[in-house]
Amino acid sequence: MSSLVIDLILCGLAYIILIYFVATMSKNSFRKGNNRNDDGDGGVDNITPPKIDLPPGVIWPSDSPVKTNSPEPVEF
């Protein structure tokens, strides 16, 4: 047998062993019912939208001043 055939057999054996270890180590994460909805970022979730810095004189519609329609008292 040439050294190329021996190298190919050893590489194939190493590949099979590597796939076996990867499959056994990741078996727990593929189990059914392990739905954590985790995206893997870590840290604290901040779901509030960012506060955008607007130019002077521009305001958001939700921050607009509330106008009350109270009539002025009439003097007689």
Side-chain angles (χ1 to χ4, degrees):
M1 275 212 257
S2 74
S3 63
L4 179 64
V5 173
I6 294 172
D7 285 342
L8 288 175
I9 290 171
L10 289 176
C11 286
L13 184 63
Y15 179 75
I16 291 171
I17 292 171
L18 181 68
I19 294 299
Y20 171 75
F21 281 123
V22 168
T24 57
M25 298 241 183
S26 64
K27 180 172 54 173
N28 291 337
S29 63
F30 292 131
R31 279 196 186 167
K32 199 172 193 177
N34 193 7
N35 189 7
R36 293 181 289 164
N37 292 332
D38 186 19
D39 57 0
D41 286 346
V44 178
D45 290 338
N46 187 4
I47 57 173
T48 58
K51 186 72 174 172
I52 299 176
D53 189 24
L54 296 173
V58 178
I59 59 171
W60 290 104
S62 61
D63 295 337
S64 64
V66 178
K67 291 184 178 181
T68 58
N69 293 333
S70 60
E72 296 184 17
V74 179
E75 293 184 18
F76 291 105

